[in-house]
Amino acid sequence: MADDLAFLDATAQAEMVRRGEVSPRELVDAAIARIERLNPQLNAVIHTLFDKAQAAADHAPAGPFRGVPYILKDGLSHSAGDPHHEGMRFLRDANWVEPEDTFVVARLRAAGFIFCGKSNLPELATANTTEPLAYGPTHNPWDLARSPSGSSGGSAAAVASGMVAAAHGTDMGGSIRTPASCCGLVGLKPSRGRSSLGPDHGEYWGPVTHQHALTRTVRDCAAILDVICGASPGDPYTAPPPSRPFAAEVGADPGGLRVAVRTMRFGGGADSHPDCVAAVSATAQRLQSLGHRVGWASIDALDDPAGTQGFVTVLSSAVARDLDRWGARVGREITEADVEPLNWLMASGGRAITAVQYVEALETMQAYARKVAAAMSGFDILVTPTLPEPPFPLGELRGDAPDLFAVLARMGDLATFTVPFNITGQPAVSLPVHWNDDGLPIGVQLVAHYGREDLLLRVAAQLEEAVGWTSRRPAVHA
C-alpha cells in the first residue's frame, strides 16, 4: 500500500479518504513507513511525530485534507507540544518545545492534515542550503551529493522523494522557490500578507517573509493556499481576498497574457547557466504556443542595487534580534560558541546598524518595490530562472566555511532572481519544467503583480499539462 500511495498528490489522497477507499490511519502508517525507509539517506525529517500522528489520524477532523500526512518545517511556524529548534544547536541542547500552534499550523490541522514530522533547515533559515551543524546536511534525492537548497530544503526533499505529498515552507529570500527548483517541485511564494505570521509575529525579517507549501502538483498548491490564506487577529495587514477559491483557478483559462522573459542575473550580472537559459527559452516557446504574447525584456528597475542593500540591512538586524529573542526565551544569553560562524557574523553586523539606518533600509526597499511595480506594468507575467545554475554541491555554503564573506557573496548570487520579489511582495512560483542532461531538475520562476496568485495558478496549470512533470521520479524515492 505504501508505494501505491507515495506519489498520489494530497488532493487524490483526501479524495480516497472521502470515498472510504483508505483510512487516515492507513495513509499515516504508509507515510511513516516511507519516512523510516528513506530518511536515513536524505536526512530530511529531523523530528518524528509518529505516535502523535497515529493518534491524530484516528480522530482526524472532516476538513478538505482529512487524514493526509504532512511535514512541518522546523522554523517560524510551530506545533503545540513539539520540538522547535530552527536549526540551532542552542535550542536543540535546550530541548526547546513550543506550547501552541501558530495560526497557520492551526489552519492546516483544522483542514485535516496530520503532522508526521518536522523537516530540516539551515540555522535560523538564513542560508540557501540545508546544512545545519545541529542536524547535518539534507541530501537532494535527485543526486545525494547535491544540496536541496534552502531554507525549506528538508521539506522539499521529503516531498520529492515521496515521503509525503506536501510539506510546509517559508520564503524570506527564495526559501520555497529555490528548493522547489532543486528538487523538481511546485513552490509558490504568495503575495505579502496572504497568510498570517501570528501569533508570534506581525512581520518577520521586516516585510520579506512569506509562507506556504512545497507540492508536486499545481492543484495541491492552490488548495493548500485556500486553507492557509486570510487575516488572523492582530495582523498588521493582509493581501486582498481572492474573488473565488484559488483551487478554482486550476484549469481556468488565463486568456492571452503579456509575458516578459529574462535570464540575465539581476543587478547587471552575467547570464544564467546554459541549462537555465534553455529551461526559460523552452518555457517561453510553450507559453507562446499556448496563445500568450511573449517577449524578452530587461526591466532595468530590477537591476537597482538599492533594494538588495536594504534587504541585507534588514536581514542582519533580524538575525541579531533572533539571537536576543531566543536568549531571552530560554533564559541564557546566546554567545558566539552557540551559533554558526556565518550567523554570528551577520548578527554582529546587525548590531552595528542604527535605528535610523534600519528605517532608511525599509524606505529603500519600499521605493524599490514601487519602481519594479511601475516597470512591470506593461505585462502580466515575468519569466526567469529560479536559480541561475543547476542544483549545486553540498558543502559550498556551510555556516562554518573558511571564507564566510565568499559564502555570503555566493548566496547572494544564487538568490539573484528570488530576493527581489520578497522585497516587492509579489507572488512568484517555481515550476519544474525542465531537466538537464545530468537528470537534474531546473526550475523556472513565474512572477505576477501583487495579489494575482490567481493568474499564476492558471498559467502554472497550463504548463503542468504541457510538460507532464508529475511522472518524474528522483534517484531516491519511495
Side-chain angles (χ1 to χ4, degrees):
M1 176 68 79
D3 287 343
D4 292 339
L5 296 169
F7 284 93
L8 291 178
D9 70 358
T11 301
Q13 291 183 31
E15 182 60 30
M16 289 181 69
V17 171
R18 282 191 290 272
R19 293 196 301 258
E21 297 173 4
V22 65
S23 70
R25 180 61 180 268
E26 287 173 319
L27 287 180
V28 167
D29 286 346
I32 289 172
R34 294 193 297 270
I35 294 168
E36 290 179 328
R37 186 166 70 254
L38 297 172
N39 204 54
Q41 296 180 75
L42 298 176
N43 191 34
V45 178
I46 55 172
H47 307 303
T48 57
L49 307 174
F50 295 162
D51 290 344
K52 292 180 73 171
Q54 289 170 326
D58 292 337
H59 302 90
F65 288 101
R66 179 173 180 255
V68 176
Y70 196 81
I71 296 292
L72 289 174
K73 181 179 179 179
D74 193 30
L76 189 61
S77 282
H78 44 74
S79 50
D82 297 329
H84 185 75
H85 298 163
E86 301 209 339
M88 296 185 71
R89 292 167 294 171
F90 178 79
L91 294 178
R92 180 200 65 190
D93 295 346
N95 295 314
W96 187 260
V97 171
E98 286 289 344
E100 63 181 358
D101 287 347
T102 60
F103 291 154
V104 159
V105 168
R107 290 181 179 183
L108 290 165
R109 197 188 295 275
F113 282 113
I114 306 297
F115 306 141
C116 293
K118 304 197 72 179
S119 65
N120 203 10
L121 76 162
E123 184 182 76
L124 293 175
T126 54
N128 39 18
T129 190
T130 302
E131 304 179 53
L133 299 185
Y135 286 102
T138 295
H139 299 266
N140 190 322
W142 294 90
D143 180 344
L144 294 177
R146 296 181 186 268
S147 173
S149 191
S151 60
S152 305
S155 289
V159 175
S161 64
M163 293 183 190
V164 291
H168 172 253
T170 60
D171 194 314
M172 295 86 125
S175 291
I176 289 174
R177 289 162 289 161
T178 62
S181 179
C182 285
C183 292
L185 300 173
V186 177
L188 171 68
K189 180 198 78 64
S191 296
R192 177 177 296 137
R194 180 61 71 197
S195 62
S196 176
L197 300 175
D200 298 344
H201 305 284
E203 292 187 329
Y204 186 71
W205 290 19
V208 304
T209 297
H210 310 67
Q211 58 183 328
H212 185 28
L214 291 115
T215 66
R216 289 192 292 270
T217 64
V218 175
R219 68 177 185 174
D220 275 2
C221 179
I224 296 172
L225 189 58
D226 283 325
V227 166
I228 69 169
C229 74
S232 293
D235 285 351
Y237 47 75
T238 189
S243 59
R244 60 180 179 176
F246 289 113
E249 306 301 343
V250 179
D253 183 4
L257 302 178
R258 300 163 299 171
V259 178
V261 179
R262 173 168 169 166
T263 58
M264 297 291 291
R265 288 168 166 84
F266 298 157
D271 205 359
S272 298
H273 187 282
D275 290 344
C276 302
V277 174
V280 170
S281 298
T283 301
Q285 292 172 3
R286 286 191 181 98
L287 290 171
Q288 191 164 19
S289 71
L290 290 166
H292 303 296
R293 289 171 287 164
V294 180
W296 294 79
S298 60
I299 316 166
D300 295 341
L302 288 165
D303 294 321
D304 185 348
T308 301
Q309 290 165 2
F311 175 88
V312 170
T313 297
V314 169
L315 166 60
S316 300
S317 303
V319 175
R321 171 59 183 147
D322 275 345
L323 297 186
D324 287 353
R325 181 192 303 109
W326 281 117
R329 292 194 71 190
V330 174
R332 178 174 76 79
E333 180 182 1
I334 295 179
T335 68
E336 185 173 359
D338 297 313
V339 182
E340 293 183 14
L342 186 66
N343 279 327
W344 189 258
L345 175 66
M346 286 194 281
S348 299
R351 297 191 196 286
I353 294 166
T354 67
V356 172
Q357 289 171 324
Y358 183 84
V359 173
E360 180 187 16
L362 292 178
E363 292 173 348
T364 299
M365 292 164 67
Q366 291 163 357
Y368 175 86
R370 295 184 193 281
K371 290 177 183 177
V372 171
M376 292 179 60
S377 63
F379 49 88
D380 304 300
I381 297 286
L382 170 66
V383 179
T384 74
T386 307
L387 282 161
E389 62 185 65
F392 49 91
L394 286 165
E396 290 185 355
L397 303 178
R398 283 175 56 93
D400 61 349
D403 188 342
L404 296 177
F405 289 100
V407 170
L408 288 171
R410 178 95 167 97
M411 290 199 303
D413 180 59
L414 289 169
T416 181
F417 293 112
T418 53
V419 162
F421 305 110
N422 292 85
I423 297 171
T424 67
Q426 293 167 256
V429 64
S430 181
L431 300 175
V433 295
H434 188 77
W435 273 256
N436 67 10
D437 290 342
D438 294 325
L440 298 173
I442 308 292
V444 166
Q445 177 178 240
L446 276 63
V447 184
H449 293 285
Y450 181 76
R452 294 307 308 269
E453 288 95 330
D454 58 339
L455 210 57
L456 284 184
L457 291 166
R458 294 175 202 170
V459 178
Q462 284 187 317
L463 289 171
E464 182 178 45
E465 184 176 359
V467 176
W469 61 67
T470 57
S471 62
R472 295 271 191 168
R473 300 288 181 269
V476 177
H477 70 271

